[in-house]
Amino acid sequence: MKQALTKMVEVMAKADRQEERTLCITHCNCLERAEWVKELALSKGTFKDCFIVDTRGISSLYANDGGIIMVV
């Protein structure tokens, strides 16, 4: 899981105009993992803002229990 999340963060860190973008991290019953991802993302990128929220609606189905969704 950590390898996959690290790779996702590395890909997002290459995004164009990150200083103009907000990173949203959504978690499904896994706040600790989401906080770890946030720290990693902020250490590798220069996002305008970054916040963590709980899953809602259909994203809960896609993430499943313990899942993480990241959007830039």
Side-chain angles (χ1 to χ4, degrees), residues 2-64:
K2 282 192 175 188
Q3 286 179 333
L5 293 172
T6 299
K7 182 66 175 176
M8 288 173 65
V9 167
E10 289 172 357
V11 169
M12 286 189 313
K14 295 177 183 177
D16 293 336
R17 303 182 339 262
Q18 8 174 309
E19 62 280 350
E20 299 172 13
R21 298 174 185 235
T22 298
L23 172 61
C24 176
I25 301 167
T26 304
H27 72 93
C28 187
N29 299 321
C30 196
L31 179 59
E32 298 82 20
R33 185 177 291 155
E35 289 173 344
W36 179 83
V37 168
K38 179 179 178 179
E39 286 179 32
L40 183 62
L42 293 178
S43 74
K44 295 191 178 283
T46 55
F47 301 100
K48 179 172 84 173
D49 196 7
C50 180
F51 57 92
I52 298 173
V53 295
D54 296 331
T55 54
R56 297 279 190 267
I58 194 82
S59 63
S60 296
L61 173 71
Y62 290 118
N64 209 348

